[in-house]
Amino acid sequence: MNRTDKDGRGAASQKRSWRLVGGLRTRLVVTVVVVALISAVTATALAYRDARTAVLQRTQNSAVNDLRERVAVVAADFDVPPDHQSLSRFAAKVSDGIGARIVVARYHDLVAVSAPLAETEGRITVELRTAVATGGDAMFQRVQWRGEPYLAVGMPVTYADGDRRTSGLEVFAITDLRAERDDAAALLDSVRAGIVPVVLLAAVLALLAAGTVLRPVRKLGRATRELAAGDLGSRVAVTGHDELADLARTFNESADALQASDAELREQEAKARRFVADVSHELRTPLAAMTMVATVLEEDADQLPPDAARAARTVGAETARLSRLVEDLMEISRFDAKAVRLNAAETDLADTVRASLALRGWTDRVRTHLPDGVRAVVDRRRVDVIVANLVGNALRHGAPPVTVTLKTAREADGEWVTLEVADHGPGLPPGALERVFDRFYKADAARSRGAADDSGQGSGLGTAIALENARLHGGTVDAADGPRGGAVFTLRLPLRRTGEGTE
């Protein structure tokens, strides 16, 4: 496995992990659980507050009413001013009538407690005594004493003459609130214990809802990936009348339009290729006749007047160029129709390059670095076409010296052979690197006429044919600016030998 495969699998694994961590399903479940948790906690807090308030309010009202009724009964037979003994009997009677609560009776500086050993100072505060002394009705106050809750109720005793004059006698009752506190705490624990089942139930419901909602989304995503991979027949089943159904319907309509456009484009492209091939084929016969006539004219040009001789040579050159253009078009048509086959055999690449240069008379114009013994399974004719295009471009559009260098290299994906053609001219103009292998592309005047081919005048198809021939071998052709100026074209082919086969 090469580095690219490992990186691709790692990226895919990372994407799958991210979908597990931050996917729509996870976010939906987390959102529902968080909302359920917040709702449960809020409901628990409100229930606890309301229950605690209700319990304390009931106890408080009961304590105030009991004290008021009991004082009214006992005070009817009580004489003022009292002594300590009568005041103590009064406190005891009041206490007996209200459930044996601790009762404190005060008459000015005289104080009596129903339970003589009970400590009352911390539970009956100065604020409560002041409020009872200045008010005319029962007062209460909840206090904490030694970490425990208590309710203190106080009221003044008035005369029964209707004027509600205070007699100077004040009665206080202390009620223990620990039972109410424990009841409220038990209620809080019960409600809190119910939060976990509620959250778990919410998570289960969220998972079920997420599955129902996300199932069509997953189907749509799968169909989209299939469409992106080239399966234009991929569609999504439309169910229901909700937003997801509208989305699926829109996707299907878009896919239908894309498939129709693709079919139309493919048909137009096929027609264009057939047209080019047919035109090129039909031009071959008249061009053959024109070439013969032009050859005769060129041979007799020296016997013609100067203007006629120049015209004859021009006709010959342009006819030759047109013939090469037709041949190039025929070759491109064969590549487009997938009708090209390799006639591969084990070949000495250095000899092939030398023969290609010698055939065109370029041996003295090109510097070569061609080590012997570099043999590979290639189609010799197609390698000759590649060399002719690349070296021809360098000679026409670059500047000497033009160098051709043959190298081999062992890489992670196998052994490769490279043929580098470099010139020392102005190099490729800005923006040409991305388009130099496009069909009929010609650079600007910086590289002479800018033709990118092996013909004398250029058809704009040479580099495109060179690239197609390289790809047919499982290789490629790259273009770059040289480190010291000029353009560098590099043919890169897999170094296969007899018995290894070709792809």
Side-chain angles (χ1 to χ4, degrees):
M1 181 187 299
N2 57 31
R3 176 184 292 272
T4 303
D5 294 336
K6 292 181 179 179
D7 292 345
R9 293 189 180 183
S13 176
Q14 185 176 3
K15 288 181 180 179
R16 285 194 297 269
S17 300
W18 172 247
R19 283 199 296 267
L20 290 176
V21 174
L24 187 58
R25 174 192 291 269
T26 303
R27 283 180 285 174
L28 181 60
V29 172
V30 169
T31 301
V32 172
V33 169
V34 169
V35 171
L37 181 61
I38 293 175
S39 302
V41 171
T42 303
T44 300
L46 294 175
Y48 172 73
R49 186 196 65 181
D50 294 343
R52 180 175 178 274
T53 301
V55 169
L56 293 177
Q57 187 70 38
R58 185 180 67 248
T59 303
Q60 169 187 301
N61 293 340
S62 176
V64 171
N65 292 333
D66 289 348
L67 181 62
R68 184 183 288 119
E69 293 172 359
R70 185 59 181 171
V71 167
V73 172
V74 177
D77 299 328
F78 186 71
D79 297 326
V80 292
D83 54 16
H84 187 272
Q85 185 176 4
S86 61
L87 192 59
S88 297
R89 287 196 301 269
F90 178 81
K93 289 181 180 180
V94 174
S95 176
D96 293 339
I98 58 175
R101 297 188 182 100
I102 299 174
V103 175
V104 179
R106 298 176 63 93
Y107 185 82
H108 300 299
D109 295 332
L110 189 60
V111 179
V113 182
S114 60
L117 299 179
E119 186 176 346
T120 61
E121 284 299 322
R123 290 179 278 188
I124 300 176
T125 64
V126 176
E127 292 82 358
L128 180 60
R129 291 200 301 267
T130 303
V132 171
T134 57
D137 201 356
M139 301 291 177
F140 63 90
Q141 183 181 31
R142 290 194 293 269
V143 297
Q144 290 285 333
W145 183 68
R146 295 179 179 177
E148 302 293 343
Y150 292 91
L151 174 66
V153 181
M155 61 176 295
V157 179
T158 59
Y159 291 108
D161 55 4
D163 293 336
R164 297 191 61 81
R165 290 180 298 112
T166 58
S167 62
L169 178 62
E170 298 171 353
V171 182
F172 299 88
I174 300 173
T175 303
D176 190 347
L177 295 179
R178 284 178 290 185
E180 286 75 8
R181 179 199 61 188
D182 294 341
D183 291 342
L187 176 62
L188 179 62
D189 292 339
S190 300
V191 177
R192 186 186 294 136
I195 292 179
V196 175
V198 169
V199 172
L200 292 177
L201 179 60
V204 172
L205 294 177
L207 284 172
L208 295 177
T212 303
V213 173
L214 297 182
R215 189 175 299 112
V217 175
R218 287 196 298 271
K219 292 181 179 179
L220 183 61
R222 189 183 309 112
T224 303
R225 288 190 295 271
E226 292 173 352
L227 191 67
D231 182 8
L232 300 184
S234 178
R235 298 293 185 272
V236 181
V238 179
T239 57
H241 303 281
D242 55 6
E243 290 80 0
L244 290 175
D246 293 339
L247 181 60
R249 192 175 296 107
T250 302
F251 171 83
N252 290 340
E253 293 172 355
S254 301
D256 290 339
L258 181 61
Q259 189 173 27
S261 299
D262 178 76
E264 183 179 357
L265 288 175
R266 288 179 183 274
E267 183 180 359
Q268 291 178 356
E269 184 180 4
K271 289 181 179 179
R273 289 174 178 173
R274 286 195 301 270
F275 175 77
V276 171
D278 293 343
V279 169
S280 300
H281 181 75
E282 293 298 326
L283 286 176
R284 295 182 72 178
T285 300
L287 274 176
M290 291 173 61
T291 301
M292 288 189 295
V293 173
T295 302
V296 172
L297 289 175
E298 283 188 286
E299 290 176 352
D300 297 337
D302 294 338
Q303 303 174 10
L304 298 175
D307 291 341
R310 188 164 48 253
R313 293 188 181 94
T314 301
V315 169
E318 292 300 324
T319 301
R321 179 174 178 270
L322 185 58
S323 297
R324 283 188 290 271
L325 175 59
V326 170
E327 291 298 327
D328 288 346
L329 287 172
M330 291 291 294
E331 185 72 3
I332 285 292
S333 298
R334 284 191 286 269
F335 278 112
D336 290 341
K338 309 296 183 185
V340 180
R341 295 292 181 270
L342 279 178
N343 184 19
E346 187 168 314
T347 305
D348 188 306
L349 294 179
D351 289 345
T352 301
V353 174
R354 292 191 190 99
S356 180
L357 298 178
L359 179 64
R360 293 162 179 82
W362 294 341
T363 303
D364 296 335
R365 300 173 61 187
V366 177
R367 294 180 182 178
T368 59
H369 304 281
L370 305 173
D372 294 326
V374 180
R375 301 183 65 82
V377 177
V378 295
D379 188 326
R380 185 184 180 103
R381 184 185 71 82
R382 297 190 183 279
V383 172
D384 173 74
V385 172
I386 297 173
V387 172
N389 275 286
L390 300 185
V391 176
N393 273 346
L395 290 173
R396 284 190 305 276
H397 311 307
V402 174
T403 61
V404 178
T405 305
L406 182 66
K407 300 178 183 178
T408 60
R410 182 172 295 278
E411 301 178 8
D413 53 349
E415 195 172 1
W416 293 80
V417 60
T418 59
L419 184 70
E420 183 180 282
V421 179
D423 65 65
H424 291 74
L428 293 168
L433 286 176
E434 293 77 12
R435 301 187 57 195
V436 70
F437 295 103
D438 292 350
R439 298 175 183 182
F440 296 108
Y441 174 72
K442 296 184 179 182
D444 61 14
R447 286 180 61 85
S448 184
R449 288 189 58 174
D453 57 72
D454 67 328
S455 66
Q457 300 298 326
S459 66
L461 292 172
T463 51
I465 293 175
L467 180 60
E468 293 292 347
N469 278 307
R471 288 174 175 171
L472 196 62
H473 286 82
T476 186
V477 179
D478 299 320
D481 289 323
R484 298 180 180 177
V488 179
F489 285 79
T490 303
L491 168 66
R492 188 170 180 267
L493 298 176
L495 188 58
R496 303 187 185 93
R497 296 179 175 85
T498 302
E500 297 181 10
T502 60
E503 293 181 359

